[in-house]
Amino acid sequence: MLTRSFDKVEDILEKYGYRKEMLIKILLEIQHEYRHIPREVVNYIGVALGIPPAKIYGVITFYSQFSLNPKGEYTIMICDGTACHMEGSMNLVKVIEEEIGIRPGEVTQDLKFSLDKVGCLGACALAPAMVINGEVYGKLTPDKVREILRNIKERKAE
Amino acid sequence: MTTTTEKRFDNAQEIIKYIDALKAKKEKKLQKKSIYVCVGTGCTASGSRKVYAKFVDVIKQKGLDVAIEKIDDDDEPVKRTGCCGLCSLGPLVKVMPSGITYSHVTVDDVEEIVEKTLVNGESIERLLLTDPISHQKVERLEDATFFKNQTFYIMNEIGKSECESIEDYMARGGYLSLAKVLSMDRKEIIEIIKASGLRGRGGGGFPTGLKWEAAYNSKGDIKYIVCNADEGDPGAFMNRTLLERDPHSVLEGMIIAAYAIGAQEGYAYIRAEYPIAVEMFNKAIESAKEYGLLGDNILGTDFSLDIHVKEGAGAFVCGEETALLSSIEGKRGTPRPRPPFPAQAGLWGKPTLINNVETYGNVAKILRDGVESYRTRGVQKSPGTKMFSVTGPLNLTGIIEVQFGTTLRYILENICGGTSNGRRIKAIQIGGPSGACLPEELFDLPLDYDTLKSVGAMVGSGGIVAITDDRCMVEVARFFLDFTKRESCGKCVPCREGTMQAYNILEKFTQGKATYEDLETLEYVSEIVRTASLCGLGKTAPNPIVSTLKYFKEEYIEHIEGKCPSGMCTAFKKYIISPEKCKSCSLCARSCPNGAISGERGKPYVIDQDKCVKCGLCVTKCKFGAIELVG
Amino acid sequence: MKINVNGKQVEIKDDAKNIMEALREIGIEIPNLCYLSETSVYGACRMCLVEVDGKEIVTSCTLAPREGMSIRTHTPKIYEMRKGILQLLLASHDGDCTTCEMNGKCKLQRYARDFGLTTNRFATVSKKTITDNSSIIVRDNAKCILCGDCVRACEELQTVSAIDFAYRGFDTQVVPSFEEKIENTECVFCGQCVAYCPTGALAIRNDVDKVYKAIEDGKYVIGMIAPAVRASLQEEFGLEDDIAMAGRMVSVLKMIGFKKVFDVAFSADLVAYEEAHEFLERLEKNERLPQFTSCCPGWVKFAEQYYPEYVPHLSSVKSPQMALGAVIKKYYAKEIGVAEDIILVSVMPCTAKKFEAEREEFNGDVDIVLTTRELVKVFKSTGMDIKMVEPEPFDRPFGLSSQSGLSFGKTGGVLGSVIEVIADKAAVKNVNTKQISEGTNLTEIELENGRIVRGIAVFGLGNVRKVVDKLKNGELQADVVEVMACNYGCIGGGGQPYPNDVRTRARRASILRETQSVDVLISPTENFHMRQLYEKYFGAPLSHEAHETLHTEYKHRRRIQQEEIDILPLPTDDEEKIEISVCLGTSCYTKGSYEILEKLIALSNNEEWAKNLEIKGTFCLENCGKAPNVLINDRIVGEATIEKIKEVALSEIREKQGDTEISKSNL
């Protein structure tokens, strides 16, 4: 199985011509592919690009888009930008915790959901807002959040 | 419009002619029936893509309507238009040629809009937006006070543009400047930019022309041009708006700048959190290449330029130009000491010109319409316009564009329509997370680089947050320091350690544990961070503290004295159970996550204040309204 | 160039890199915590602020000198800023100074004292603590001030980058990838990170207690001291002109219970002698040239990791430490009749020597390695005034050394010694040395027969990488290359006392030069005790016995230790199984390693003899030039084909079973 996954890494590396300066883009794609940056992949691309693994680790841990632990199938990003914060986004964090039992930075045990607090999603006019797998949900209320999460859970059950 | 045919231009005259033809075509086209649906991030979140799909369906289904199918040569009768900034009213739909615009459109409204408005040209009263200032229903977006009172210069053609289409951009006079400058002397172009007085829109307001000149004067075979679109301010999205709405205007500005300084390669650094902007800009690059406006031998000259999109991966500090350069190189985005400045030694040690998205957005228009025209807006030392992102409890919020010199009060009242919650606006926070908080008495100051600086604030990237009197200024400062502390790159000592210390002290304030000594330490640490930090992020990080200490010091003192005047800091409050109302049902005790409530049957329950975490859950559980918040 | 400093007109060098360095020359050391002349400017500690032309406050490390500029280095505002920065640092710093390795040497501690910090107005904030006590280099990030000196030393000077910054903001830490233990990384243990660390965040594993334990247990403790140690000890104790330092060291060690103390410089003569003969032999046969010296264990690990193709070019002669270790354990122990009880303690300027002593190849000949820093501690803890200690000579027979042997402590020393030996063997007409690039000297030795032997001496692994790459692509030619991992050679070793910067290293080099100049013997060939050793045991250089005792062999080493992936783990008997690991790294992958893997699986399923193949996927054997690579029971097969693999696997089976029947029937 792992050999197959190195296939994907190879595809990504090839797409960017094994160029060192493309490291961040390559990592973004790897993050997208695996929902995290696996350790063996770090070593792999380190040798492929000629970058010492310690440097790659430094880059991964610097940028908030990367994660060392797998993210959920549904990644919830709750906005805590100025507008959303003022509109009570932190209450929604509590609601999410009640609903799926995880706090920001955590993943549910079944790897279905992960929750992160993010700076700004650029949807301030819709504050408070959250993004689940790229889809923006705005003007949230606790009830709306519950409904959205329940819908996703059901979608999964079908 | 189609881009399938070969449209590569290899001389300037040819493309100027072509642009003239497009202009005429666009004029005609605007008279034709068509529908524009906003699919920007905001409207998409409100379901505009579903609305868009429904329009496509309905129009197809109706078999329709020869007129609609002839809207354009394209197969798509419904156009995607860029964000107009009024995201809170989305999804927004505009019907041409009448220009009638509807807000909060749902899938169910689509059929009616097609029938009544598109076919018959009638407006639908209930979908029209109500002007929050005049309280009148308005048919066209342009007629709303929100728009009427703005000054549009770089944000052109509300809802009339097809942001993805290069031909639409050209029809609006796009790429004329590029065609023109390629025969000009490089120095001459720089002189024009200098004469225009254009200042960097990314924060500091450094004169753009001087930056160009420095990059031009730097010796080197290889030079780079960079567009800074790493807009990470929590609560501002001007750059995203411009990139999604008019990517070609930014691209043209970059190409001109590259030509002027002699760069052969460029990068647009865009946050990965803005996938639509990334996509739009990539498309813009592709079409510009097809038309011979980018790539090898641009418009038949010996000027060649390649531009790539680089995605940021989530680090606010990368908005700082030297950190951004490190990030483009694929490294940790930590700032480098200056000098050397990027204009001398930037990307991979080569001379590099970095400007903000909005700065580039001005370039082509200045060169096309001239310095005189540009300077008719704004004030002497800060000419032109600025995009702001206004948020807070206001009737209308979103992206606006005003000329420099406009007052805050004008923006809050005449554009945004005042508060929506009936509260008084006691302060605004301007300039992003490291901006300042200004009190009401300064609302009449003209907004420009120098005036703001004189009161300890900055234009920054242009975020404006309205703060009403039910908000605590200490909490506001704490919130922003929480942000800068988290986003500090960790390289230099004052910022890494100082923001942490400052945050901890502010937290003491909001928790009611602060002393007068803490107040002094807060001032002391702010001064160190401001003076000694390596980069702009650190140097400005204490602004929220310094400005609130300057204008709202009494709030700090009240916190020390045991009270949060706005009532926002819950630490100063306590929940109590009214013995009269309590029926000792025990529901509250059972719901309390911390076991702070106890009691026995027949007697009123009590809350142990030491254990209470003030989550307020008990209040929502109590069926008799027996629990209240006091303090 | 004239500038105004604190109201006085001063003359500074026109080519000064920045104001910090310019003012250093005229006696003002602007406080700083992240400035290293040897690396790029980092500009992060913000301690070196100065006021320019009465207005701006900027860092002097980034400030370019300009004619007529006016600088104030110590205004009340600047004083306050520095004090503030120090307090900020101390608020999150593990301030338990008494138990800190760097107590008394720490730059942060010194500034705290100089700025009179008796209290801290900032509250203590704790950081996530990362510690690594697993190997020779010990890390305690609670003491780290994130100045980045170690990171830049590792990356820019040594081009290894085993550590880097991770995380950001207040959470920033200096760690290896995935917070791995340093011993599992590409770290070559040169210890330059330790050498430059201004605080106690990086230290060397302290082995002093092991020495006392050995003495306590009644072991026969023998000491041996490397050349570079004496120079830095002279400096450490403020006895720059004291040429008797070596003798005082011997004396102190004897007093605390060492039975014998020998001089590693003796062994340096031995190694130079043997190595020169090895070189002449290779030169004659024209094979495995250029010959690289191998007395620097940091370089050896570096070569094993990054230049596997040059591993056979390394001199197979052991380093002076390990050669003397072998001689003592093998011959001397018998001579004095205490074989079992000998505990051999070597004192080295080097952290990598601890690593070297632990390498499997050397069977623990050297038991304990102390660095100069540890020796200083031993001395100081005795309370003896070293100045007043009566010097004592090194013990015979391994106490005699020539100037050449002593010169091993600094760059060019090994090469110089080898040349001395060559001069003795072949007629040398002319020797000419010039610097060809940073840290790199080229010596051309013209022999009587007209042949020109080209020797290169290079220090600093970053410089080394450049030289080796040039040798590889033919830009540079050499017959023999002396490599020292640390700048200026062993005197700048990671185990040397702090400070260990360029200025200190230059001073140590001159101290060592003076010490060695009083030695009456010049060439290793004149060291008659060394020659006696040949007469007694080896016969001649490169003899069988000499090979047995003084030579070793190095092998290709992977930079990154990583788990392998089981692809076809069969329930095989351990005795019979043959492990085959196919590299699936980039180079190998693109050259078809995946196909090889498939063929192997098919082979194992179809052919009877192959049923005991345990097939694994591995990741980068770091032999990418010869891709695809396959590892068969530790044997690396480059440019592998399925036929080649079959052949090697069969020969492995044959070897294992001693049974030729199977292989014959299957071939």
Side-chain angles (χ1 to χ4, degrees):
Chain A
M1 186 213 139
L2 265 164
T3 52
R4 224 180 303 130
S5 42
F6 281 138
D7 265 1
K8 284 183 194 155
V9 177
E10 271 304 322
D11 289 346
I12 295 169
L13 286 167
E14 185 140 32
K15 191 161 140 199
Y16 296 104
Y18 297 92
R19 296 210 310 277
K20 274 185 196 185
E21 76 269 20
M22 296 312 289
L23 176 66
I24 292 173
K25 183 70 194 170
I26 289 166
L27 290 172
L28 278 170
E29 295 215 0
I30 286 167
Q31 171 78 39
H32 186 75
E33 183 70 44
Y34 298 91
R35 290 189 263 142
H36 75 301
I37 314 275
R39 184 168 180 164
E40 59 272 21
V41 171
V42 170
N43 293 344
Y44 191 94
I45 61 176
V47 174
L49 299 177
I51 306 175
K55 294 210 95 57
I56 300 179
Y57 186 71
V59 169
I60 295 169
T61 54
F62 187 86
Y63 296 99
S64 54
Q65 291 273 308
F66 304 127
S67 126
L68 295 169
N69 301 313
K71 291 272 169 217
E73 190 180 333
Y74 291 91
T75 56
I76 308 169
M77 293 193 284
I78 183 104
C79 180
D80 193 28
T82 314
C84 292
H85 183 82
M86 298 290 178
E87 295 296 324
S89 58
M90 287 305 99
N91 286 337
L92 301 179
V93 170
K94 276 188 205 155
V95 172
I96 296 171
E97 192 185 341
E98 277 167 32
E99 201 60 30
I100 54 174
I102 50 170
R103 287 161 192 241
E106 295 176 351
V107 190
T108 54
Q109 286 208 319
D110 58 0
L111 292 184
K112 207 156 281 172
F113 292 99
S114 58
L115 176 63
D116 286 292
K117 203 166 85 172
V118 295
C120 182
L121 298 165
C124 310
L126 305 170
M130 67 176 177
V131 170
I132 301 178
N133 286 3
E135 202 171 326
V136 184
Y137 297 89
K139 294 191 175 163
L140 295 171
T141 59
D143 284 339
K144 237 168 139 180
V145 169
R146 278 186 206 109
E147 191 193 320
I148 292 162
L149 293 176
R150 280 174 197 167
N151 280 344
I152 292 175
K153 279 194 236 169
E154 275 160 30
R155 206 187 303 167
K156 201 57 210 167
E158 273 160 21
Chain B
M1 279 167 227
T2 176
T3 49
T4 46
T5 50
E6 183 61 42
K7 284 230 178 86
R8 203 186 153 78
F9 293 93
D10 54 14
N11 81 61
Q13 290 319 309
E14 219 178 284
I15 200 162
I16 291 172
K17 253 192 258 160
Y18 187 75
I19 290 171
D20 278 342
L22 283 177
K23 273 185 188 167
K25 212 167 134 197
K26 168 124 183 166
E27 280 304 312
K28 265 170 80 186
K29 206 183 83 186
L30 286 173
Q31 299 310 314
K32 289 188 180 170
K33 287 181 176 177
S34 53
I35 290 170
Y36 292 81
V37 177
C38 175
V39 290
T41 306
C43 286
T44 298
S46 309
S48 75
R49 279 179 198 265
K50 282 182 200 140
V51 171
Y52 170 80
K54 180 77 178 178
F55 270 114
V56 177
D57 267 5
V58 170
I59 283 162
K60 221 189 206 166
Q61 188 191 19
K62 299 234 164 192
L64 258 180
D65 203 339
V66 198
I68 298 169
E69 282 198 326
K70 279 183 185 163
I71 285 175
D72 203 344
D73 301 325
D74 236 0
D75 295 336
E76 279 187 55
V78 189
K79 290 287 151 205
R80 292 179 178 197
T81 174
C83 177
C84 71
L86 266 188
C87 305
S88 54
L89 298 178
L92 287 163
V93 172
K94 180 170 191 163
V95 186
M96 291 301 284
S98 59
I100 294 170
T101 304
Y102 297 125
S103 61
H104 300 303
V105 175
T106 65
V107 174
D108 300 335
D109 302 322
V110 167
E111 209 144 333
E112 195 182 348
I113 294 173
V114 170
E115 266 168 29
K116 288 194 179 151
T117 314
L118 185 70
V119 179
N120 299 331
E122 300 160 13
S123 62
I124 304 162
E125 181 77 9
R126 84 183 140 82
L127 292 174
L128 290 175
L129 69 109
T130 308
D131 188 322
I133 297 171
S134 67
H135 302 290
Q136 308 276 307
K137 289 266 181 190
V138 285
E139 282 206 334
R140 301 180 333 140
L141 220 45
E142 300 87 303
D143 300 333
T145 321
F146 181 79
F147 288 106
K148 264 201 306 207
N149 289 342
Q150 295 188 43
T151 306
F152 292 112
Y153 182 66
I154 54 171
M155 289 213 297
N156 222 329
E157 309 273 335
I158 297 282
K160 277 188 204 163
S161 317
E162 296 153 41
C163 35
E164 285 176 39
S165 159
I166 186 168
E167 296 218 334
D168 187 83
Y169 177 68
M170 286 159 77
R172 289 183 276 125
Y175 290 113
L176 270 178
S177 295
L178 178 63
K180 192 166 97 181
V181 300
L182 289 182
S183 59
M184 278 164 70
D185 183 43
R186 301 185 154 170
K187 268 189 148 158
E188 202 184 326
I189 302 169
I190 294 170
E191 285 309 319
I192 293 174
I193 297 298
K194 271 165 77 179
S196 74
L198 176 64
R199 295 172 72 169
R201 300 294 194 247
F206 190 81
T208 305
L210 291 182
K211 224 176 184 182
W212 288 28
E213 194 169 45
Y216 170 83
N217 286 334
S218 282
K219 295 206 169 26
D221 306 341
I222 299 171
K223 289 183 186 177
Y224 293 101
I225 181 146
V226 173
C227 174
N228 184 349
D230 188 54
E231 175 180 60
D233 291 17
F237 49 101
M238 289 77 56
N239 294 349
R240 199 201 72 203
T241 304
L242 192 57
L243 286 173
E244 288 180 6
R245 187 158 145 184
D246 212 1
H248 281 284
S249 73
V250 179
L251 185 59
E252 189 184 0
M254 279 183 82
I255 302 172
I256 292 171
Y259 174 74
I261 66 152
Q264 306 84 355
E265 205 169 353
Y267 292 91
Y269 188 90
I270 307 174
R271 296 176 79 194
E273 291 92 329
Y274 288 174
I276 298 173
V278 170
E279 187 193 323
M280 295 285 247
F281 205 74
N282 269 322
K283 274 189 189 157
I285 289 172
E286 283 316 306
S287 14
K289 278 188 186 159
E290 270 172 51
Y291 281 68
L293 298 163
L294 191 61
D296 291 339
N297 301 100
I298 293 172
L299 292 180
T301 64
D302 55 7
F303 169 52
S304 301
L305 175 70
D306 224 350
I307 289 180
H308 320 274
V309 170
K310 275 270 184 175
E311 282 166 64
F316 175 70
V317 68
C318 289
E320 198 279 341
E321 57 182 24
T322 58
L324 185 144
L325 295 178
S326 299
S327 187
I328 290 180
E329 291 172 8
K331 301 175 186 158
R332 288 166 63 83
T334 50
R336 312 169 184 173
R338 296 181 300 183
F341 289 93
Q344 302 151 343
L347 266 185
W348 293 289
K350 307 290 180 197
T352 303
L353 174 69
I354 310 180
N355 283 135
N356 172 267
V357 176
E358 203 181 326
T359 315
Y360 284 124
N362 277 290
V363 168
K365 292 193 179 76
I366 293 174
L367 287 161
R368 192 187 62 200
D369 303 337
V371 169
E372 286 287 298
S373 152
Y374 178 72
R375 280 186 164 278
T376 56
R377 299 168 193 85
V379 293
Q380 177 64 22
K381 283 190 171 168
S382 305
T385 60
K386 175 80 188 80
M387 290 168 79
F388 287 97
S389 169
V390 192
T391 55
L394 299 166
N395 277 312
L396 281 172
T397 57
I399 300 296
I400 62 162
E401 183 179 359
V402 293
Q403 46 183 327
F404 280 109
T406 307
T407 65
L408 274 170
R409 199 179 297 284
Y410 188 84
I411 292 174
L412 296 173
E413 287 168 12
N414 298 30
I415 295 176
C416 299
T419 53
S420 56
N421 61 4
R423 293 256 173 197
R424 181 179 67 90
I425 300 173
K426 75 167 168 187
I428 63 99
Q429 202 274 353
I430 182 166
S434 45
C437 294
L438 299 178
E440 205 188 342
E441 54 267 34
L442 295 179
F443 286 3
D444 292 314
L445 285 183
L447 282 185
D448 64 70
Y449 289 105
D450 309 296
T451 310
L452 279 176
K453 207 176 165 193
S454 71
V455 294
M458 59 176 191
V459 176
S461 56
I464 294 179
V465 187
I467 299 164
T468 44
D469 57 9
D470 55 342
R471 305 281 134 169
C472 168
M473 295 313 288
V474 182
E475 163 59 23
V476 168
R478 190 204 63 85
F479 170 77
F480 285 113
L481 259 292
D482 181 38
F483 181 84
T484 37
K485 166 196 85 167
R486 263 187 286 131
E487 295 294 338
S488 164
C489 80
K491 180 173 176 175
C492 80
V493 181
C495 177
R496 178 184 72 231
E497 310 282 335
T499 53
M500 187 59 155
Q501 288 288 349
Y503 173 80
N504 285 346
I505 298 170
L506 288 168
E507 200 167 41
K508 273 174 89 178
F509 272 93
T510 58
Q511 288 171 349
K513 294 175 187 160
T515 62
Y516 284 99
E517 205 190 328
D518 286 321
L519 198 61
E520 271 174 43
T521 309
L522 193 59
E523 281 169 344
Y524 179 74
V525 72
S526 299
E527 182 58 18
I528 294 168
V529 178
R530 196 183 64 77
T531 313
S533 288
L534 169 62
C535 82
L537 173 68
K539 283 184 194 298
T540 56
N543 279 346
I545 305 174
V546 174
S547 60
T548 47
L549 279 173
K550 187 169 170 189
Y551 300 114
F552 301 94
K553 194 162 192 168
E554 71 285 354
E555 291 201 21
Y556 282 87
I557 290 169
E558 285 195 65
H559 279 77
I560 298 172
E561 297 294 338
K563 188 167 181 277
C564 172
S566 69
M568 201 181 170
C569 299
T570 49
F572 295 93
K573 298 180 185 170
K574 53 183 181 179
Y575 286 96
I576 51 165
I577 301 174
S578 153
E580 292 80 38
K581 290 185 188 163
C582 180
K583 304 273 184 267
S584 63
C585 70
S586 85
L587 206 58
C588 58
R590 278 181 280 143
S591 70
C592 179
N594 232 26
I597 309 179
S598 58
E600 50 189 86
R601 199 158 273 286
K603 285 183 187 166
Y605 274 56
V606 283
I607 300 174
D608 180 344
Q609 295 301 334
D610 292 338
K611 281 190 187 167
C612 176
V613 292
K614 291 163 181 138
C615 66
L617 203 61
C618 52
V619 180
T620 64
K621 296 286 174 190
C622 181
K623 293 190 173 104
F624 312 103
I627 306 174
E628 53 185 348
L629 192 59
V630 295
Chain C
M1 185 190 302
K2 282 198 181 69
I3 62 169
N4 188 300
V5 178
N6 298 330
K8 294 209 165 67
Q9 195 84 353
V10 295
E11 180 87 34
I12 57 161
K13 276 192 195 159
D14 282 350
D15 60 348
K17 267 200 282 184
N18 47 50
I19 288 294
M20 163 102 74
E21 299 223 342
L23 297 193
R24 195 176 261 177
E25 297 277 329
I26 60 162
I28 302 176
E29 175 78 15
I30 298 173
N32 64 82
L33 284 165
C34 75
Y35 188 76
L36 273 190
S37 314
E38 299 90 322
T39 67
S40 61
V41 173
Y42 192 54
C45 75
R46 318 306 288 172
M47 282 288 285
C48 69
L49 295 172
V50 293
E51 187 193 274
V52 188
D53 298 331
K55 355 182 246 270
E56 252 187 312
I57 290 186
V58 293
T59 45
S60 56
C61 64
T62 56
L63 182 62
R66 197 179 62 239
E67 182 76 50
M69 73 200 303
S70 175
I71 305 280
R72 296 202 78 87
T73 61
H74 205 71
T75 66
K77 170 107 181 169
I78 288 170
Y79 175 73
E80 206 50 53
M81 286 297 130
R82 290 187 184 143
K83 242 174 104 172
I85 289 166
L86 286 171
Q87 289 178 79
L88 283 172
L89 278 172
L90 291 166
S92 65
H93 179 81
D94 172 1
D96 205 350
C97 291
T98 51
T99 55
C100 178
E101 164 84 17
M102 282 289 272
N103 190 8
K105 290 264 178 182
C106 169
K107 220 169 162 182
L108 181 64
Q109 189 187 41
R110 196 187 93 205
Y111 284 137
R113 195 175 54 229
D114 294 351
F115 281 81
L117 292 180
T118 48
T119 53
N120 193 341
R121 67 185 300 167
F122 297 118
T124 307
V125 248
S126 51
K127 285 193 165 162
K128 180 183 166 197
T129 16
I130 295 177
T131 52
D132 176 6
N133 301 318
S134 63
S135 71
I136 295 145
I137 292 173
V138 176
R139 165 178 295 283
D140 179 359
N141 279 0
K143 291 168 186 157
C144 177
I145 57 168
L146 298 167
C147 68
D149 286 359
C150 55
V151 172
R152 276 170 290 135
C154 194
E155 177 178 359
E156 297 176 20
L157 300 178
Q158 305 297 63
T159 62
V160 172
S161 278
I163 46 173
D164 202 345
F165 291 104
Y167 312 101
R168 74 170 180 223
F170 192 75
D171 299 328
T172 309
Q173 299 268 352
V174 174
V175 283
S177 179
F178 286 86
E179 295 176 27
E180 186 49 83
K181 302 283 177 207
I182 195 78
E183 62 178 348
N184 299 330
T185 71
E186 60 266 63
C187 172
V188 299
F189 301 108
C190 69
Q192 288 302 298
C193 51
V194 184
Y196 287 114
C197 181
T199 71
L202 282 163
I204 304 156
R205 188 187 65 209
N206 190 324
D207 291 324
V208 170
D209 288 354
K210 290 181 196 159
V211 176
Y212 285 114
K213 173 97 174 33
I215 297 170
E216 172 81 10
D217 291 349
K219 300 286 184 189
Y220 194 90
V221 179
I222 297 178
M224 49 198 257
I225 301 172
V229 174
R230 57 208 74 174
S232 41
L233 228 65
Q234 274 171 255
E235 179 203 78
E236 176 74 13
F237 288 100
L239 299 168
E240 262 90 346
D241 302 324
D242 181 28
I243 50 166
M245 179 50 92
R248 298 185 208 277
M249 284 157 60
V250 174
S251 215
V252 177
L253 291 180
K254 287 279 183 66
M255 283 192 268
I256 63 172
F258 279 62
K259 291 282 192 303
K260 293 274 186 271
V261 180
F262 296 126
D263 192 351
V264 176
F266 166 87
S267 180
D269 279 342
L270 174 66
V271 167
Y273 192 70
E274 185 74 13
E275 195 166 331
H277 286 88
E278 180 188 29
F279 172 60
L280 287 172
E281 189 184 85
R282 287 195 198 174
L283 200 62
E284 207 166 284
K285 292 186 185 163
N286 196 23
E287 62 174 28
R288 288 185 286 157
L289 291 174
Q291 174 169 313
F292 290 91
T293 60
S294 62
C295 34
C296 170
W299 150 244
V300 169
K301 186 166 187 256
F302 188 83
E304 288 174 322
Q305 288 172 176
Y306 300 102
Y307 295 102
E309 66 273 39
Y310 279 131
V311 167
H313 291 237
L314 290 172
S315 162
S316 65
V317 182
K318 291 177 184 173
S319 72
Q321 164 173 281
M322 296 326 300
L324 188 55
V327 167
I328 290 172
K329 288 283 175 78
K330 193 169 176 185
Y331 309 124
Y332 185 73
K334 280 195 195 116
E335 286 177 19
I336 59 169
V338 283
E340 296 304 306
D341 275 344
I342 288 184
I343 290 290
L344 191 51
V345 180
S346 86
V347 184
M348 292 279 149
C350 174
T351 38
K353 285 286 169 190
K354 292 196 187 225
F355 165 75
E356 183 184 55
E358 288 164 16
R359 284 180 71 120
E360 288 178 354
E361 294 91 333
F362 302 122
N363 339 299
D365 279 347
V366 173
D367 299 282
I368 302 168
V369 179
L370 296 186
T371 58
T372 316
R373 285 183 177 203
E374 290 159 270
L375 186 71
V376 168
K377 288 196 173 74
V378 170
F379 283 11
K380 289 198 169 163
S381 66
T382 62
M384 295 176 204
D385 182 350
I386 197 100
K387 276 193 290 268
M388 297 171 71
V389 171
E390 195 67 30
E392 218 175 287
F394 280 109
D395 286 294
R396 301 285 154 125
F398 313 125
L400 188 68
S401 66
S402 69
Q403 288 191 14
S404 289
L406 278 171
S407 70
F408 264 57
K410 60 181 198 333
T411 178
V414 183
L415 183 62
S417 307
V418 169
I419 293 170
E420 289 289 347
V421 179
I422 295 173
D424 191 62
K425 295 274 292 184
V428 170
K429 215 160 83 181
N430 208 353
V431 179
N432 181 20
T433 299
K434 60 170 190 254
Q435 187 175 356
I436 51 169
S437 60
E438 206 189 327
T440 314
N441 280 337
L442 173 70
T443 303
E444 287 181 317
I445 308 140
E446 197 185 348
L447 302 180
E448 202 63 67
N449 62 13
R451 159 112 212 219
I452 292 174
V453 175
R454 292 163 61 90
I456 287 174
V458 52
F459 63 71
L461 290 174
N463 299 329
V464 172
R465 196 184 279 277
K466 280 184 210 142
V467 166
V468 179
D469 285 342
K470 279 185 189 161
L471 288 167
K472 229 166 126 176
N473 67 24
E475 252 181 85
L476 199 60
Q477 282 87 37
D479 301 302
V480 55
V481 184
E482 174 210 285
V483 181
M484 294 195 184
C486 301
N487 275 359
Y488 299 92
C490 306
I491 44 170
Q496 294 281 66
Y498 189 85
N500 195 352
D501 54 11
V502 204
R503 290 171 291 171
T504 316
R505 291 178 192 198
R507 203 159 55 233
R508 283 176 196 155
S510 79
I511 295 175
L512 186 60
R513 217 172 291 125
E514 275 184 26
T515 312
Q516 101 197 24
S517 67
V518 296
D519 197 325
V520 288
L521 307 180
I522 293 166
S523 165
T525 52
E526 296 167 37
N527 187 331
F528 47 90
H529 277 130
M530 191 258 301
R531 305 202 77 140
Q532 271 172 6
L533 205 56
Y534 275 91
E535 282 157 25
K536 246 161 121 179
Y537 298 110
F538 306 135
L542 310 181
S543 68
H544 178 73
E545 185 61 23
H547 264 283
E548 286 290 304
T549 313
L550 300 177
H551 290 249
T552 182
E553 143 178 305
Y554 301 103
K555 60 169 186 274
H556 175 241
R557 179 189 288 270
R558 288 162 70 173
R559 291 196 291 279
I560 304 154
Q561 303 302 320
Q562 186 167 320
E563 297 274 304
E564 298 194 321
I565 309 152
D566 285 341
I567 287 173
L568 202 60
L570 298 167
T572 45
D573 191 346
D574 256 13
E575 299 263 308
E576 286 172 20
K577 109 181 151 191
I578 301 289
E579 273 183 37
I580 301 190
S581 305
V582 180
C583 176
L584 300 167
T586 299
S587 297
C588 295
Y589 178 90
T590 50
K591 293 220 171 124
S593 65
Y594 198 64
E595 284 81 57
I596 290 182
L597 191 70
E598 281 172 347
K599 282 182 193 159
L600 263 174
I601 295 168
L603 191 75
S604 151
N605 289 333
N606 299 334
E607 296 188 25
E608 178 57 24
W609 70 272
K611 72 176 179 1
N612 284 344
L613 297 184
E614 186 180 62
I615 302 167
K616 288 180 171 181
T618 184
F619 155 77
C620 202
L621 298 164
E622 290 157 16
N623 191 27
C624 306
K626 290 193 172 163
N629 290 294
V630 173
L631 198 65
I632 303 175
N633 279 355
D634 292 337
R635 273 167 77 177
I636 192 161
V637 180
E639 292 167 344
T641 57
I642 189 73
E643 290 74 26
K644 239 174 159 178
I645 295 168
K646 217 165 146 176
E647 199 179 297
V648 178
L650 281 167
S651 79
E652 284 284 319
I653 293 177
R654 251 175 270 148
E655 235 170 73
K656 230 174 187 171
Q657 304 188 333
D659 182 356
T660 47
E661 292 305 307
I662 302 169
S663 43
K664 265 185 206 156
S665 62
N666 276 288
L667 264 173

